[in-house]
Amino acid sequence: MIFYPLLSLQAPVPASLVEFYPRGGLPNVAAKGAAGQPLRVAFLGGSITAAEGWRVHTLENLKKQFPKSNITEIFAAVSGTGSNFGAARLERDVLSKKPDLLFVEFAVNDGVGSAKVEDQMEGIVRQTWAASPTTDICFVYTVSETMLPELRAGRYQSAAVSMERVAAHYGIPSLNFGVEVARRVAAGLLVFTSPRDDTGFTKDKVHPGAAGHRLYAERLAGALPGFLAVGKAGGHVLPPARSANHWQRAKLLTLDALTLSPHWTRVAANDPHVTTQKGGLVPPTWVATLPGASVKFRFRGTQLGLVGLKGPENGIFRVTVDGKTVEGTLFDAYSQPGRFFLKPWFFPASLADTDHDVQIELLDKAPDKSALRNAVADKAPFATNGLYLSGVLIVGDQLGYMSESDNKSYVADKP
């Protein structure tokens, strides 16, 4: 028999570590639910939220809480992505569908707290309440094995610390799933990582198994009555921003709003590259395999990135902003045949909030494709070095697109 240590000799998690804060609560959800009105619940997050776990259980709990309400889900979880991409795609994936309640989960994928994480999360809040003041928001903080030492020491995991600063400023209720997980691990009641579902919270140090997701959902179900009992129904008023660098202007620009050189091909809606991603969240995507294929546009703002589909066919691209160039790739160690998922890439430097000329160009170069997490028998797809591009990410405003007949002239935005 294999013995999995229960870590019972570890010091207990301090009782002073607070698991959840009701703050301004979820008053509009409470009022609509009590009146039997329809409720649209959005889940914005990464793979932990995409799984058929705490998200599904939470919807079931809400339906029990408000049996007379027609409760529908807005699925907005993209595996492997954080609050930067979340802020950029918020309008497309969430706000356009008019949510009544928005859960935000990015603590594991954001990883380490920072001023930028705070700016991104603040952008999510400010976008939401600017567009829909009556939408209630709740932050939830997931946990990975590497975050346990902070919790056992009586501190929130790093990313959650940053997110809590935003939650406190805006009066947003929050729940830290990691507090109860860490307490049970410290008490010898739970093994965090185990190859067996019946003994461990997770198999891979990050993604909860079925029992782990049930634990997450149980803790949220326990906190929800407190969240629903406080606050006054009505529009949330945006206070002054806590940071001048918040991402309220974050947005995703689809390629039909930009200028594409020849040799780009629209990827069909039923292509496996597009359909692999769960939830229909892949924007219209174009592919280029010929070096020199480019995308050009102009914007005013402070952040720039792109999003595309990672996979074995990815090569190296070059992004030029105001004459400064950086190379990148969407290829990574998880890029395997048949595995195509959205992957954002951001220009590494912040930009002055001025006008910028941008060009994205596919190069005649290949990344090192030898470092894969799993062995692959079919090597043929790796011979291609292209780019599956699904959009451009900015914090700012598009100024126009570049005229194909004159690389120096710009015209008004396309309708």
Side-chain angles (χ1 to χ4, degrees), residues 274-322:
V274 174
T275 58
T276 297
Q277 184 79 53
K278 183 178 180 179
L281 298 178
V282 178
T285 299
W286 297 72
V287 60
T289 57
L290 183 69
S294 67
V295 176
K296 299 177 183 179
F297 69 102
R298 196 176 185 221
F299 83 107
R300 177 182 296 121
T302 59
Q303 302 287 337
L304 169 70
L306 58 83
V307 62
L309 297 171
K310 66 179 179 181
E313 302 99 332
N314 274 291
I316 294 177
F317 56 81
R318 177 170 60 209
V319 177
T320 304
V321 182
D322 305 330

